Amino acid sequence: MNPGAVQRGPVPPIRPEYDRVLAPFVEAPVERALPRAARLWQQDWLRKGLIIAALALIWEGLARWQDNDLLLPGFLATMSALADGLVDGELLDRVRISLAVLIQGYLAGIVLAFGLTTLAVSTQFGRDLLSTLTAMFNPLPAIALLPLALLWFGLGSGSLIFVLIHSVLWPMALNTYAGFQGVPETLRMTGRNYGLRGPSYVLRILIPAALPAILSGLKIGWAFAWRTLIAAELVFGAASGRGGLGWYIFQNRNELYTDRVFAGLVLVIVIGLVVENLIFSAFERLTVRRWGMAR
Amino acid sequence: MNPGAVQRGPVPPIRPEYDRVLAPFVEAPVERALPRAARLWQQDWLRKGLIIAALALIWEGLARWQDNDLLLPGFLATMSALADGLVDGELLDRVRISLAVLIQGYLAGIVLAFGLTTLAVSTQFGRDLLSTLTAMFNPLPAIALLPLALLWFGLGSGSLIFVLIHSVLWPMALNTYAGFQGVPETLRMTGRNYGLRGPSYVLRILIPAALPAILSGLKIGWAFAWRTLIAAELVFGAASGRGGLGWYIFQNRNELYTDRVFAGLVLVIVIGLVVENLIFSAFERLTVRRWGMAR
Amino acid sequence: MISAATLSDLSVLELAEPRPRAPVRREAASARPASESGESPLLRIRGVTLEYRTPARVVRATHRIDLDIHEADRFVLLGPSGCGKSTLLKAAAGFIAPVEGEITLAGVPVRGPGPDRIVVFQEFDQLPPWKTVAQNVAFPLRAARSLGRREAQERARHYIDKVGLTPFADSYPHQLSGGMKQRVAIARALAMQPKVLLMDEPFAALDALTRRRMQEELLALWDEARFTLLFVTHSIEEALVVGNRVALLSPHPGRVRAEINSHEFDLGSIGSRAFQAAVQRLHTRLFETDPETRAPTRTTAS
Amino acid sequence: MISAATLSDLSVLELAEPRPRAPVRREAASARPASESGESPLLRIRGVTLEYRTPARVVRATHRIDLDIHEADRFVLLGPSGCGKSTLLKAAAGFIAPVEGEITLAGVPVRGPGPDRIVVFQEFDQLPPWKTVAQNVAFPLRAARSLGRREAQERARHYIDKVGLTPFADSYPHQLSGGMKQRVAIARALAMQPKVLLMDEPFAALDALTRRRMQEELLALWDEARFTLLFVTHSIEEALVVGNRVALLSPHPGRVRAEINSHEFDLGSIGSRAFQAAVQRLHTRLFETDPETRAPTRTTAS
Amino acid sequence: TAAEGQLRIAKQFGIVYLLLNVVEDQKLIEKHGKAAGLDIKVDYVQLSGGSAVNDALLSGNIEVAGAGVGPLFTLWDRTRGRQNVKGVASLGNFPYYLVTNNPAVKTIADFGEKDRIAVPAVGVSVQSRILQWASAKLWGEKDFAKLDRISVAVPHPEAAAAIIKGGTEITGHFGNPPFQDQELAENPQAHIVLNSYDVQGGPASSTVLYATENFYKSSPKTYNAFLNALDDAAKFIARNPDKAAEIYLRTTNSKLDPALLTKIITNPAVTFKVAPENTLGLGRFMHRVGAIKAEPKAIDDYFFADPRIATGS
Ligand SMILES: Nc1ncnc2c1ncn2[C@@H]1O[C@H](COP(=O)(O)OP(=O)(O)OP(=O)(O)O)[C@@H](O)[C@H]1O
Ligand SMILES: Nc1ncnc2c1ncn2[C@@H]1O[C@H](COP(=O)(O)OP(=O)(O)OP(=O)(O)O)[C@@H](O)[C@H]1O
Ligand SMILES: [Mg+2]
Ligand SMILES: [Mg+2]
């Protein structure tokens, strides 16, 4: 290779051999509990808290600089509106109403998504159906469904749930299906080797193996459910004065109580953060992270 | 095991040995071109076409049964409105306007999502930032951004693009990040072993390896960009009469030309189907399917 | 193995025939394999051609394979890398349908996979990563056998101990080394106590010591339960030790070149003269790469 | 190997010392390894403890490993499954940081992975599935070496031929058998012509014939380029053939039990008396599982 | 941000903005600007939804916005001491009808628990305010929100479709032209339950234009040209209703039935004029029920001073 070097290149030295008797390994435990787990957790909160604080600061700064509190109230003004709303109990009430509907729609969307995807993994027809339906309906805005919802479900929460399902179902199905498709062939064969098929195959092999993709579908679905709910409550939500958070936002927006609007939005954010950091990330820690499927 | 059986269980017979001279393998080509590829493709179209036809039939049936053409016009009525709109050129014009904005927002959202995710895979701060930002902003409806958009970008397409980015960025980032996290450890190590780091590591290892997840993120982003565009065009309206498809839908809705509203929506669906079946699925065939990363 | 025979069930009729113990036979190059001996094989592979269809082309993995695997056989497939051993095993397991020929199990054509033929795959990712070692081993017991929870756990523990992984029973697969993962797969397959066991280079990732232990374990279990084993390996020694009959496949696309008896070797015979000779013979056979230039070597059953 | 020495650079100073050819030395159980011989090793592993942190607990994979790998060494790690061979290799590659001790390469502490130490991993999924065989082999050449396109392709083709995969140059990894995948990884590593090559059971998935060819190829390349090789295997024969020095690791957690010279064996010596004796010796050492009950066997350099 | 010579006007959908359509089509602002020696660059922006219009105004993206009288009071109240938004001109008097297709309902008192009244926004839209006002008159100030309980927010198009075709829960719709006229024309069952004029005590302005004080003060010439143009347009429409209808159809690309349009324009209850009429009452009512904090006392409290406006009420 290197013609200028020694003819056959370097030769390693010949070293003496040795052979030791190893005492049984006792010097350190082969396994020991991780000590700083708790501390790390706190730091996680700390770091995220700092990010949130920084965002709040930027917000307040922007608001002061723009100086247009009817359009963009500051962080502090929003907080005081939020406090007022929480103290007089109105906001919590609204949140309760919204969450009740949201969760119903979300769960229904998830179940339907799994049904559709199960069909898609088992038959060619299901595959075509899924790809056609998602390509068709996913881009449709909720207003397209409004007339149908009015006709079929009327003005109650039935329509809200219908629209929520529309917003959760398609992204969820797309992600779940992509996750299913990425399941390693060997794992699939293992499952089928043990005689699993149909729903039990999906449940015991595909779903856990595709969990990372499903999880991000769940997160996206959750977010879009919120977005849709707030938009849809403007239309369906206020029957008999029982409007949720979306209605609260809409009404105050119409009355130009922009600080209350932002208080409502902050509540959406807070709920989002709580769900992300308590529910989703705990779920992640207990599943994909523990199983080494995501770091 | 089976106490009632022969004492040591069955013994296989001893068979004669044999040894053959194999002629060189010429009987069939080891590899040959797949002949029916073209035909299969046609069938794919056929199957999907049948599904679409069935849906159209159901639609027409439902519309006739409901008999409320102001809320739910039939398939045929919609098609004739669509044909009218296409013939007089108005619809195509609207689509052009909408698509121009849509694609800008979509691309900008994708680029930002990749930036954010690249940050997230390389630093702990980026990870926290991504998870906090998505948890916070993803559930926010566009109305929350409206004031900011108006303050910063005015009433033009700038605001539309801003809102589009909001709708594309978060799901895209979530999916991309989940995809990145699922890249097998060995593959990561291979990349780093060859000295890849930073953007070139992301580009040459993470992105191709996470392509199935990224693809479903792209599909979801595409759909939500449409949804958002149509909703946002109503709000940001049509300066100097240059409204897009969303405005067309809104205007005709206001004049109770529900068939034209549905014609506009059908156009959205058709564009969605074209993008899905020509662009996305061709991309899939050329990438993940070819690479055996999805079936 | 003798079940109520009906006249219409040919394979069962065949079973009832007397079992001829054919002595050493020399065969011409065109000879048909041993199935002529009259004993009906449990797993019968007849003219099986296997192909992979990719979007661009068709790859033929094996070409017209004829093999008979009898009940309680420890049948070994030996052949060069890429010759189609894994593919053949997967076809026997029911994952790949032949494009030509037929595979029958006890006379019934194989239509799909099932828990009657448990497979140990060659790849390391056959363990569901969301299950601990213990759960992984118990998994098929619960899924396919519908064993009780307690019972499945106990059986799992027993076999985990056999592969020496008791300290890792609660670890997840990603926390194991390559060899340990393969051992979990082996434990899982053994715990199923299947009638037919298909193993694809199960010991390839194991060190000499562990490998030896696993071989012992496998043979001991076979002695006890007399399952039928189809075993892929690339180690000649292992083929002779584990198998009672070894099929030699040609390079890509795989065809059966020879079948050799090895029932007289066990772990104890390693190092013996006869064993070394057998190894040497197979070695020579494998190293003769060019089939055209080679004269047919007449072999004698040992 | 002699570079401009500065006074502050201790390792280089050591290098300048005369190279003592130590004859057979008998060492007590507590003896330090060969580094005392004075020649400065290229890769120096000093008291390295490696651990895996999982959310629940910490697993110690290796405990205070001392090893010296000199330039042009063909250093083999031999040990039971799960003893930490792969972990140690990954640490040398820079993927895992020791919790104790230090790994230095030519005197510089190893801080992270880099293309100066090319790794062949044990797992089958080290090939980017989106690249054909040819692209896979050319990939690091383009990525790390910034070789021209043409040049990289040519070199890739050359090494693909060496591992016998030319007909599959345009196949994607998922269309290959397990052994073929590993051969692509080997070709890719060899094509890089690295100074240091780290291989983790690279030939485990190969049949006897292909394995032999690969071993020949590797040794021929070493003879040509004199790279430094760290090689994990579980085959005693392979250890003796491929390596010039073999380190024996104890079971979990891995500690160095012995180092043995094997520079006098090559592929030709398989079957020779001395070779068989060496195999037997290592075999015995490996099969002595209980370290407490075993008296230290005195070994002689062969 | 407003500068002399620049005028961006936001209009929403509907026939109530006919005045602006005529101004745009006849380029009246430009004409009056030239007369005053000013080149005015006019932009017409179509927006949907009151809050979008408000946001656009408050963010300085438009100079003049149009919306109902109710939103004007809200905006005026909220921006006092800030942007000081006030009315610029009225776009004319249109009656709003509460239309029902429930034959049993003759007055608002007949609405039962099963009925649903569609309004653009429950509680806060003009329609809702007038309904509240009517309720207050009927059941007393305390019960002004009585019908809010059966009100639902449904966009005009869907509500109109529901009234025309029936078959949904919506039995009442407090809309605006042309929806209310379409409902009455296309469903023989549909009839008027409440007319906003009756509540307000006579013909009243329905839609108004408003602007920030900043614009009023910094661009007096533009402002003046704008009002002149509106005045011209109002007169033009009164003289040539057919032409106005033709302009509307042409500029908005609308496919509305021309006969129905002419009928709406020539409805004696509809007048086109810039001076506001009968607005103070609504403002006072809103103050009484607490919807706005400040009490409007006179027209020039919430309209910018201008001779053409001062005649209004
Ligand atoms: N999924 C696939 N798609 C296309 N071709 C494939 C696929 N899997 C295997 N092949 C081809 O089929 C042939 C046989 O592969 P197989 O895995 O059966 O070999 P093998 O005998 O098990 O080899 P090894 O000992 O290396 O595991 C190979 O030439 C390979 O290229
Ligand atoms: N990702 C991981 N997380 C936790 N523990 C691990 C991980 N990888 C390996 N281990 C543990 O570290 C030890 C050493 O593993 P390693 O892979 O180095 O073994 P090995 O010597 O390469 O074995 P083999 O010959 O089976 O490949 C094992 O006991 C294993 O349980
Ligand atoms: Mg194989
Ligand atoms: Mg290993």
Side-chain angles (χ1 to χ4, degrees):
Chain A
M1 258 200 86
N2 192 350
V6 192
Q7 246 203 330
R8 303 273 342 150
V11 174
I14 294 166
R15 288 140 282 172
E17 302 190 339
Y18 67 93
D19 190 354
R20 300 182 225 166
V21 177
L22 297 176
F25 182 74
V26 286
E27 304 174 45
V30 181
E31 299 175 5
R32 58 189 153 83
L34 202 65
R36 284 172 304 172
R39 238 190 67 210
L40 280 171
W41 242 104
Q42 282 181 345
Q43 285 180 340
D44 192 39
W45 276 105
L46 198 73
R47 283 191 322 263
K48 290 194 175 178
L50 280 177
I51 290 176
I52 293 172
L55 288 174
L57 215 73
I58 292 172
W59 174 9
E60 182 70 28
L62 262 179
R64 283 181 192 233
W65 179 63
Q66 293 281 1
D67 190 27
N68 190 339
D69 65 348
L70 284 181
L71 217 49
L72 179 63
F75 175 70
L76 297 175
T78 304
M79 282 302 124
S80 94
L82 183 65
D84 290 351
L86 289 176
V87 165
D88 76 6
E90 180 181 9
L91 262 175
L92 284 183
D93 221 44
R94 306 284 187 154
V95 167
R96 212 176 28 71
I97 294 170
S98 282
L99 273 181
V101 177
L102 186 81
I103 286 168
Q104 287 175 59
Y106 186 59
L107 292 183
I110 291 171
V111 169
L112 282 177
F114 275 115
L116 200 57
T117 332
T118 303
L119 200 66
V121 288
S122 27
T123 63
Q124 176 66 46
F125 168 73
R127 251 187 305 287
D128 291 332
L129 194 70
L130 178 79
S131 89
T132 310
L133 287 186
T134 45
M136 284 173 77
F137 292 125
N138 203 8
L140 276 192
I143 54 152
L145 301 177
L146 212 75
L148 295 182
L150 271 178
L151 278 175
W152 295 341
F153 303 103
L155 290 160
S157 55
S159 284
L160 273 180
I161 291 174
F162 176 72
V163 180
L164 280 178
I165 288 176
H166 167 71
S167 76
V168 174
L169 171 57
W170 311 117
M172 190 70 210
L174 266 177
N175 255 21
T176 308
Y177 187 60
F180 283 4
Q181 283 199 308
V183 177
E185 196 55 37
T186 319
L187 212 51
R188 289 167 181 276
M189 290 200 283
T190 306
R192 292 210 288 136
N193 188 210
Y194 300 147
L196 298 178
R197 55 194 72 249
S200 83
Y201 175 64
V202 172
L203 206 71
R204 302 179 81 158
I205 298 287
L206 293 185
I207 290 184
L211 211 56
I214 292 174
L215 252 169
S216 76
L218 283 175
K219 285 186 200 176
I220 292 173
W222 171 258
F224 280 106
W226 260 120
R227 283 198 200 182
T228 308
L229 181 74
I230 292 196
E233 275 193 359
L234 314 190
V235 177
F236 300 106
S240 352
R242 284 183 30 87
L245 202 52
W247 183 248
Y248 176 87
I249 290 171
F250 178 67
Q251 209 169 17
N252 281 299
R253 198 166 126 75
N254 265 315
E255 300 201 42
L256 277 174
Y257 288 116
T258 318
D259 50 348
R260 287 195 206 148
V261 172
F262 275 72
L265 292 171
V266 163
L267 215 54
V268 172
I269 287 183
V270 168
I271 293 170
L273 282 174
V274 167
V275 167
E276 161 71 29
N277 283 300
L278 290 189
I279 301 179
F280 282 128
S281 86
F283 189 61
E284 251 174 29
R285 239 174 318 113
L286 285 178
T287 57
V288 287
R289 242 166 259 288
R290 189 151 158 239
W291 306 337
M293 290 166 79
R295 291 123 38 90
Chain B
M1 258 201 86
N2 192 351
V6 192
Q7 244 205 329
R8 304 274 337 153
V11 174
I14 294 166
R15 289 139 283 171
E17 302 190 341
Y18 66 93
D19 190 355
R20 299 183 223 167
V21 178
L22 297 175
F25 181 73
V26 287
E27 303 173 45
V30 180
E31 298 174 4
R32 58 189 152 84
L34 202 66
R36 285 172 304 172
R39 237 190 68 210
L40 280 171
W41 242 104
Q42 283 180 345
Q43 287 180 339
D44 192 40
W45 275 106
L46 198 73
R47 285 191 320 264
K48 291 194 176 177
L50 281 177
I51 290 175
I52 293 171
L55 287 175
L57 214 73
I58 293 172
W59 174 8
E60 182 71 27
L62 265 179
R64 284 178 192 234
W65 179 65
Q66 293 281 0
D67 190 26
N68 187 338
D69 62 351
L70 285 183
L71 278 179
L72 177 62
F75 173 71
L76 297 175
T78 304
M79 280 303 122
S80 92
L82 182 64
D84 290 352
L86 289 176
V87 165
D88 76 7
E90 180 181 7
L91 261 177
L92 284 183
D93 223 45
R94 305 287 188 144
V95 168
R96 211 176 28 70
I97 294 170
S98 283
L99 272 182
V101 176
L102 185 82
I103 286 169
Q104 288 175 58
Y106 185 57
L107 292 183
I110 291 172
V111 169
L112 281 177
F114 274 116
L116 199 58
T117 332
T118 304
L119 199 66
V121 287
S122 27
T123 63
Q124 176 66 47
F125 169 73
R127 249 185 308 285
D128 291 331
L129 194 69
L130 179 78
S131 90
T132 310
L133 287 186
T134 46
M136 283 173 77
F137 291 126
N138 204 8
L140 275 193
I143 53 155
L145 300 178
L146 223 68
L148 288 181
L150 281 172
L151 280 174
W152 294 341
F153 303 102
L155 278 169
S157 56
S159 283
L160 277 179
I161 291 174
F162 178 72
V163 180
L164 281 179
I165 289 175
H166 167 70
S167 76
V168 174
L169 172 57
W170 311 118
M172 190 69 210
L174 266 177
N175 254 21
T176 308
Y177 187 60
F180 283 3
Q181 284 198 308
V183 176
E185 195 57 37
T186 320
L187 213 51
R188 290 166 181 276
M189 290 200 282
T190 306
R192 292 209 289 137
N193 188 210
Y194 300 148
L196 298 178
R197 55 194 70 247
S200 82
Y201 174 65
V202 172
L203 206 71
R204 303 179 81 157
I205 298 289
L206 294 185
I207 289 184
L211 211 56
I214 292 174
L215 253 168
S216 77
L218 283 174
K219 285 186 197 174
I220 292 173
W222 171 258
F224 280 106
W226 260 120
R227 283 198 198 182
T228 307
L229 182 74
I230 292 201
E233 274 190 2
L234 311 189
V235 173
F236 292 106
S240 33
R242 283 183 31 86
L245 203 52
W247 188 252
Y248 174 88
I249 291 171
F250 176 69
Q251 207 174 17
N252 282 298
R253 183 161 157 250
N254 266 322
E255 302 196 20
L256 287 182
Y257 285 112
T258 318
D259 51 347
R260 292 201 197 139
V261 171
F262 274 71
L265 292 171
V266 163
L267 214 55
V268 173
I269 287 182
V270 168
I271 294 171
L273 281 175
V274 168
V275 167
E276 162 71 29
N277 282 300
L278 290 189
I279 300 180
F280 281 128
S281 87
F283 189 61
E284 252 174 27
R285 239 175 318 112
L286 286 178
T287 57
V288 287
R289 243 167 259 287
R290 190 152 158 238
W291 306 337
M293 291 165 79
R295 292 123 39 89
Chain C
M1 255 299 287
I2 295 182
S3 53
T6 58
L7 274 174
S8 63
D9 191 348
L10 238 157
S11 66
V12 174
L13 272 184
E14 275 185 296
L15 243 170
E17 282 181 43
R19 184 188 286 186
R21 300 262 154 177
V24 180
R25 259 217 294 178
R26 302 196 170 198
E27 293 193 76
S30 63
R32 295 262 300 153
S35 68
E36 286 159 3
S37 57
E39 164 93 8
S40 166
L42 179 66
L43 189 67
R44 183 198 284 257
I45 297 170
R46 273 284 164 279
V48 162
T49 298
L50 296 165
E51 288 183 345
Y52 286 101
R53 274 152 209 285
T54 64
R57 55 191 195 173
V58 174
V59 179
R60 178 160 298 208
T62 73
H63 180 70
R64 303 216 178 119
I65 300 274
D66 288 308
L67 288 177
D68 287 330
I69 294 130
H70 289 252
E71 199 187 356
D73 251 350
R74 303 186 309 277
F75 201 100
V76 174
L77 294 177
L78 197 63
S81 170
C83 76
K85 304 180 293 293
S86 300
T87 310
L88 192 59
L89 199 87
K90 282 176 193 163
F95 292 113
I96 302 175
V99 292
E100 241 182 14
E102 202 185 32
I103 303 177
T104 56
L105 184 74
V108 184
V110 166
R111 286 267 173 275
D116 52 341
R117 284 149 293 145
I118 292 297
V119 188
V120 176
F121 295 97
Q122 189 179 6
E123 286 84 8
F124 291 175
D125 57 354
Q126 63 190 302
L127 305 179
W130 57 92
K131 287 183 183 294
T132 61
V133 168
Q135 288 166 344
N136 249 296
V137 177
F139 170 48
L141 295 172
R142 306 266 294 138
R145 285 288 189 83
S146 54
L147 233 61
R149 187 176 236 279
R150 175 83 53 85
E151 224 178 328
Q153 273 174 352
E154 245 160 52
R155 176 120 46 111
R157 201 149 296 154
H158 176 71
Y159 283 92
I160 289 171
D161 192 51
K162 287 213 170 180
V163 298
L165 285 178
T166 305
F168 293 90
D170 294 324
S171 294
Y172 285 94
H174 77 279
Q175 299 166 345
L176 305 179
S177 76
M180 289 156 88
K181 281 182 207 165
Q182 282 314 82
R183 281 187 276 160
V184 177
I186 295 164
R188 186 172 64 176
L190 297 181
M192 280 291 280
Q193 304 174 341
K195 291 293 289 176
V196 179
L197 183 56
L198 310 171
M199 300 179 100
D200 195 352
E201 309 197 12
F203 306 148
L206 300 182
D207 62 292
L209 168 61
T210 317
R211 187 172 197 147
R212 168 75 71 95
R213 281 220 201 102
M214 291 292 106
Q215 290 165 351
E216 280 167 7
E217 210 58 73
L218 183 67
L219 289 174
L221 280 172
W222 176 84
D223 223 32
E224 212 175 273
R226 293 292 157 106
F227 49 81
T228 307
L229 177 68
L230 183 56
F231 190 97
V232 173
T233 183
H234 52 247
S235 156
I236 297 172
E237 286 83 359
E238 186 167 84
L240 294 176
V241 167
V242 167
N244 67 330
R245 195 165 170 89
V246 179
L248 235 77
L249 299 185
S250 74
H252 181 69
R255 288 176 291 172
V256 184
R257 219 154 83 173
E259 278 185 48
I260 281 154
N261 286 330
S262 58
H263 53 273
E264 58 182 19
F265 301 120
D266 60 16
L267 277 161
S269 36
I270 298 179
S272 78
R273 265 283 165 80
F275 187 80
Q276 292 296 350
V279 168
Q280 204 48 51
R281 193 156 55 97
L282 276 171
H283 210 266
T284 324
R285 288 292 281 110
L286 270 171
F287 279 57
E288 291 163 352
T289 45
D290 216 15
E292 290 108 313
T293 58
R294 187 176 56 80
T297 31
R298 305 258 153 153
T299 56
T300 49
S302 35
Chain D
M1 257 297 288
I2 296 179
S3 53
T6 58
L7 274 175
S8 64
D9 190 346
L10 238 157
S11 66
V12 175
L13 272 184
E14 276 185 295
L15 243 170
E17 281 181 42
R19 183 187 286 182
R21 300 265 153 176
V24 179
R25 260 217 294 177
R26 303 195 170 197
E27 293 193 77
S30 63
R32 294 261 300 155
S35 70
E36 286 159 2
S37 57
E39 165 92 9
S40 166
L42 180 66
L43 189 67
R44 184 198 283 258
I45 297 170
R46 273 282 163 281
V48 163
T49 298
L50 296 166
E51 288 184 346
Y52 286 101
R53 274 153 209 286
T54 63
R57 55 192 194 171
V58 173
V59 179
R60 179 160 297 207
T62 74
H63 179 69
R64 305 217 178 119
I65 300 272
D66 288 307
L67 288 177
D68 287 329
I69 294 131
H70 290 252
E71 201 186 356
D73 251 350
R74 303 185 310 276
F75 201 101
V76 174
L77 294 177
L78 198 62
S81 171
C83 76
K85 304 181 294 293
S86 301
T87 310
L88 192 59
L89 200 86
K90 282 176 192 161
F95 293 112
I96 301 175
V99 291
E100 239 181 14
E102 201 184 31
I103 303 177
T104 56
L105 183 73
V108 184
V110 165
R111 287 267 172 276
D116 52 341
R117 283 149 293 145
I118 292 298
V119 188
V120 176
F121 294 96
Q122 187 180 8
E123 285 84 9
F124 291 175
D125 58 353
Q126 64 190 301
L127 305 178
W130 58 92
K131 287 183 184 293
T132 61
V133 168
Q135 288 165 347
N136 249 297
V137 177
F139 170 48
L141 294 172
R142 307 263 297 134
R145 283 290 189 83
S146 54
L147 234 60
R149 188 177 235 279
R150 174 84 53 85
E151 223 178 329
Q153 273 175 351
E154 245 159 52
R155 177 120 45 112
R157 201 150 294 153
H158 177 70
Y159 283 93
I160 289 170
D161 192 52
K162 286 212 171 180
V163 298
L165 285 177
T166 305
F168 293 90
D170 294 324
S171 294
Y172 285 96
H174 77 278
Q175 299 166 344
L176 304 179
S177 75
M180 289 157 88
K181 282 182 207 164
Q182 282 314 83
R183 281 187 276 159
V184 177
I186 294 164
R188 186 172 65 176
L190 296 180
M192 280 292 279
Q193 302 174 342
K195 292 293 289 174
V196 179
L197 182 56
L198 311 171
M199 302 179 99
D200 195 352
E201 309 196 11
F203 307 147
L206 301 182
D207 62 291
L209 168 61
T210 318
R211 186 173 198 147
R212 167 76 71 94
R213 282 219 201 104
M214 291 291 106
Q215 288 165 352
E216 279 166 8
E217 212 57 74
L218 183 67
L219 289 174
L221 279 172
W222 177 85
D223 222 32
E224 214 177 88
R226 294 293 156 104
F227 48 81
T228 307
L229 177 68
L230 183 58
F231 191 97
V232 172
T233 183
H234 52 248
S235 156
I236 297 171
E237 287 82 0
E238 186 167 85
L240 294 176
V241 166
V242 167
N244 66 332
R245 195 165 170 90
V246 179
L248 235 76
L249 299 186
S250 74
H252 182 69
R255 288 177 291 171
V256 185
R257 218 155 85 174
E259 279 185 50
I260 280 154
N261 286 331
S262 58
H263 53 273
E264 58 182 18
F265 301 119
D266 60 16
L267 277 161
S269 38
I270 297 179
S272 77
R273 266 282 166 78
F275 187 82
Q276 293 295 353
V279 168
Q280 205 47 54
R281 192 156 55 98
L282 276 171
H283 209 266
T284 324
R285 287 294 279 111
L286 270 173
F287 280 55
E288 291 163 354
T289 45
D290 216 16
E292 289 108 314
T293 58
R294 185 178 57 80
T297 31
R298 306 257 154 156
T299 57
T300 50
S302 35
Chain E
T1 53
E4 198 72 283
Q6 186 190 32
L7 186 56
R8 290 165 297 178
I9 305 164
K11 55 184 180 191
Q12 298 185 58
F13 175 85
I15 199 153
V16 291
Y17 295 94
L18 180 62
L19 223 51
L20 285 176
N21 294 118
V22 172
V23 167
E24 178 180 9
D25 185 61
Q26 310 279 307
K27 299 211 180 331
L28 294 177
I29 302 174
E30 289 88 338
K31 199 180 92 188
H32 284 282
K34 251 195 209 99
L38 192 65
D39 254 348
I40 303 180
K41 198 180 155 296
V42 193
D43 274 326
Y44 296 90
V45 187
Q46 276 217 294
L47 298 175
S48 91
S51 34
V53 172
N54 288 349
D55 288 343
L57 184 75
L58 294 178
S59 63
N61 279 292
I62 51 175
E63 275 75 46
V64 175
V69 180
L72 168 65
F73 280 115
T74 309
L75 200 57
W76 165 74
D77 184 54
R78 299 284 181 275
T79 58
R80 270 154 44 94
R82 298 181 176 97
Q83 288 93 342
N84 287 324
V85 171
K86 288 186 184 179
V88 173
S90 164
L91 284 175
N93 303 344
F94 288 87
Y96 293 147
Y97 305 144
L98 172 52
V99 177
T100 182
N101 59 4
N102 182 354
V105 175
K106 301 280 188 264
T107 72
I108 56 169
D110 300 333
F111 280 113
E113 283 301 318
K114 282 255 160 65
D115 289 302
R116 289 289 178 274
I117 305 171
V119 291
V122 177
V124 291
S125 56
V126 187
Q127 286 88 347
S128 240
R129 292 296 179 206
I130 288 169
L131 196 57
Q132 288 174 352
W133 198 354
S135 308
K137 284 182 174 169
L138 189 64
W139 293 298
E141 291 283 280
K142 255 203 0 267
D143 282 328
F144 74 96
K146 190 168 174 170
L147 289 178
D148 281 1
R149 281 191 307 112
I150 59 163
S151 296
V152 288
V154 179
H156 288 314
E158 276 75 24
I163 294 296
I164 292 171
K165 291 284 180 179
T168 71
E169 294 163 76
I170 299 167
T171 50
H173 177 211
F174 211 152
N176 67 355
F179 295 105
Q180 51 194 20
D181 306 278
Q182 281 172 298
E183 288 163 13
L184 294 171
E186 292 180 35
N187 187 349
Q189 290 262 321
H191 57 277
I192 299 172
V193 182
L194 189 69
N195 180 336
S196 61
Y197 285 0
D198 296 341
V199 182
Q200 290 173 290
S205 300
S206 55
T207 312
V208 291
L209 295 169
Y210 45 85
T212 58
E213 188 175 40
N214 180 26
F215 169 66
Y216 173 69
K217 290 213 165 123
S218 67
S219 311
K221 283 186 189 162
T222 312
Y223 188 91
N224 208 37
F226 179 49
L227 269 191
N228 284 335
L230 285 174
D231 211 19
D232 276 6
K235 285 170 188 148
F236 175 86
I237 297 169
R239 266 185 278 116
N240 314 301
D242 291 331
K243 258 218 180 111
E246 186 262 322
I247 287 173
Y248 179 81
L249 291 178
R250 180 159 43 79
T251 55
T252 59
N253 233 335
S254 170
K255 286 104 187 168
L256 210 61
D257 177 17
L260 182 72
L261 184 61
T262 316
K263 202 176 142 218
I264 295 170
I265 295 174
T266 54
N267 182 348
V270 172
T271 38
F272 292 92
K273 58 176 195 171
V274 294
E277 193 170 339
N278 232 339
T279 53
L280 192 57
L282 184 64
R284 285 219 172 105
F285 171 72
M286 283 172 71
H287 174 69
R288 278 208 302 284
V289 300
I292 54 177
K293 294 189 185 101
E295 185 182 6
K297 298 237 167 48
I299 183 84
D300 50 2
D301 271 356
Y302 54 96
F303 267 88
F304 290 120
D306 190 278
R308 279 154 297 203
I309 302 302
T311 60
S313 56

